[in-house]
Amino acid sequence: KVSLSRLVLLARVNGSYLKMTDRPENANDECVGTASEQAGKASACAGCPNQAACASGATKEVDPAIAVVAEKLSGVKHKILVLSGKGGVGKSTVSSQLAFTLAYQGFSVGLLDVDICGPSAPRMLGLTAAEVHQSGSGWQPIQVDLDLGPESDSMGEGGAAKEEGELLVMSVGFMLPNKDDAVIWRGPRKNGLIKQFLTDVDWGDLDYLIVDTPPGTSDEHLSIVQYLKGAGVDGALLVSTPQEVAMADVRKEINFCKKTKVPVLGVVENMASALVPLAQAHFTDPATGRDVTQEALEALAAKAPELMGLLLRSDVYPRSGSGPEGMAQQFGVPFLGSLPMCPDLTSATERGVGYIKNHPEAPASKPLKSVVDQIVQRTRGGLVGGSLST
């Protein structure tokens, strides 16, 4: 079993542990970053113990770990980052269901959860009791029991039929002694763990590696992008809800992708509106607060049975302008579609099962399948930003 304490030790003894963070743990508060042209020269560098090393240019040397990661991931055909900038918009839901859906289509898929302080993958993949073990080839990711049936669309990347897909998962959540333990780490320690996930995990041959990231544009994001330079990233999937408080941060994430030269595969609007089948709705008497669901549904079924097949829609978030679709148009990146807020989707993520597999007729199934199909088309066909990538 691989423990969290062992990971910390490995991170500490790794020679490039501090370099990849772009900001050493013992740096001044106003550190400009070790890769900056002003590193070691800016006024903020005065008195910093790293000033001499930064000024000499030593910190700008290419980290040999980049080549190690490239070699380790040489069997992974496509790497996708799932980003947002804002917490609570459903990145982990989209990441986990993207992984499930690709696996149901016959692809070999890995899901890497790099949200060190808030890992969701164990719960959302139904692996809360799993533990990571080490073999001669490295740490073994946890395999999800997909229980693929004959109805699954099992086609591999070359178009050849595959008996079943595969879904492997790695997360710090598997290594916590207690699932409620807080991971209280500064950036360098988190980045050291990310490196271990990329260099020491035996991912094997995969069609897709999905990287579920935390909110923001900070240490973890810089590290994952830098470490994957040699391996190559197909692009980023950006997730947003429709209100301005979320889109403001997603716009920053789009600019982060531009600055770090990560192609944007597309924007997904999540929780665009709540859709609930009328037959599953609950009714409350506003005067008394009493639940009158049974009486209301019986009355509707008796007097207007044709309504029982309808969906109730509620726009939970106030839409800002033309929403994420308009934002995508503004930045010239693809808009892949809108996913409604659906009780069955929430239930699937809580139970750690695939939504499309278990709820094929639910409101968000077709939109989710469309998003996944577009991602497959863009990664396998080289389409990025609406045109052939160069």
Side-chain angles (χ1 to χ4, degrees):
K1 177 182 175 182
V2 178
S3 67
L4 191 60
S5 59
R6 175 168 169 76
L7 283 173
V8 173
L9 177 61
L10 288 169
R12 284 186 179 279
V13 301
N14 185 283
S16 60
Y17 170 61
L18 290 178
K19 188 189 300 182
M20 288 301 296
T21 67
D22 196 35
R23 182 171 175 172
E25 189 172 21
N26 60 345
N28 292 347
D29 290 341
E30 301 302 320
C31 175
V32 296
T34 59
S36 169
E37 290 299 322
Q38 294 300 310
K41 305 171 186 176
S43 59
C45 300
C48 177
N50 307 290
Q51 185 175 13
C54 290
S56 70
T59 57
K60 298 184 180 66
E61 295 175 2
V62 176
D63 192 317
I66 294 175
V68 175
V69 171
E71 174 63 25
K72 193 71 175 182
L73 299 182
S74 60
V76 180
K77 296 175 183 176
H78 304 292
K79 300 97 178 168
I80 298 173
L81 308 181
V82 181
L83 307 170
S84 174
K86 172 63 69 177
V89 300
K91 288 186 303 301
S92 295
T93 294
V94 171
S95 297
S96 61
Q97 293 303 321
L98 169 61
F100 267 123
T101 306
L102 287 170
Y104 291 150
Q105 292 181 354
F107 293 108
S108 295
V109 184
L111 176 63
L112 174 57
D113 180 4
V114 297
D115 191 343
I116 308 302
C117 295
S120 300
R123 166 65 62 183
M124 293 188 172
L125 278 298
L127 300 169
T128 53
E131 295 179 349
V132 174
H133 296 274
Q134 191 167 14
S135 70
S137 58
W139 300 335
Q140 298 302 301
I142 308 300
Q143 185 162 12
V144 178
D145 182 5
L146 294 169
D147 190 26
L148 288 173
E151 71 274 24
S152 63
D153 179 15
S154 299
M155 298 300 292
E157 174 147 9
K162 298 177 68 175
E163 292 184 1
E164 61 178 17
E166 180 182 38
L167 179 51
L168 307 175
V169 186
M170 178 58 72
S171 170
V172 71
F174 298 134
M175 304 167 190
L176 297 176
N178 185 311
K179 66 179 181 179
D180 295 325
D181 285 348
V183 179
I184 309 173
W185 286 1
R186 293 186 184 274
R189 222 181 239 188
K190 290 190 280 187
N191 296 321
L193 177 56
I194 290 172
K195 178 185 174 181
Q196 300 300 133
F197 281 160
L198 293 173
T199 59
D200 290 350
V201 175
D202 182 17
W203 291 107
D205 294 334
L206 295 176
D207 294 312
Y208 287 93
L209 178 63
I210 312 299
V211 182
D212 183 20
T213 67
T217 55
S218 56
D219 286 345
E220 295 95 325
H221 307 80
L222 286 170
S223 288
I224 198 74
V225 169
Q226 290 172 359
Y227 279 130
L228 289 174
K229 274 183 179 179
V233 177
D234 287 67
L237 178 65
L238 302 176
V239 182
S240 181
T241 44
Q243 79 276 33
E244 176 58 23
V245 72
M247 293 197 301
D249 288 340
V250 177
R251 286 193 289 269
K252 297 180 178 70
E253 199 77 56
I254 295 176
N255 283 321
F256 169 84
C257 290
K258 289 183 177 180
K259 290 180 179 179
T260 56
K261 296 181 173 55
V262 174
V264 175
L265 294 173
V267 173
V268 173
E269 178 181 8
N270 193 32
M271 296 184 274
S273 58
L275 290 179
V276 180
L278 179 59
Q280 296 180 17
H282 293 267
F283 297 84
T284 302
D285 184 336
T288 64
R290 187 174 67 89
D291 187 311
V292 293
T293 299
Q294 184 174 349
E295 299 98 305
L297 290 177
E298 289 175 352
L300 285 168
K303 298 181 179 179
E306 69 278 6
L307 300 181
M308 297 304 293
L310 296 179
L311 295 174
L312 295 178
R313 170 177 171 171
S314 175
D315 293 330
V316 178
Y317 296 109
R319 180 171 296 276
S320 175
S322 51
E325 182 173 8
M327 176 183 64
Q329 292 175 351
Q330 175 189 352
F331 281 86
V333 298
F335 179 70
L336 303 184
S338 298
L339 302 179
M341 186 183 295
C342 170
D344 288 332
L345 178 55
T346 303
S347 173
T349 58
E350 282 291 300
R351 292 183 290 127
V353 299
Y355 173 66
I356 289 179
K357 174 76 174 181
N358 288 272
H359 305 281
E361 302 303 322
S365 285
K366 287 184 179 179
L368 176 60
K369 179 67 162 53
S370 174
V371 168
V372 175
D373 287 346
Q374 290 178 76
I375 291 172
V376 171
Q377 179 187 15
R378 291 184 176 281
T379 52
R380 295 173 66 193
L383 288 170
V384 176
S387 62
L388 285 173
S389 62
T390 55

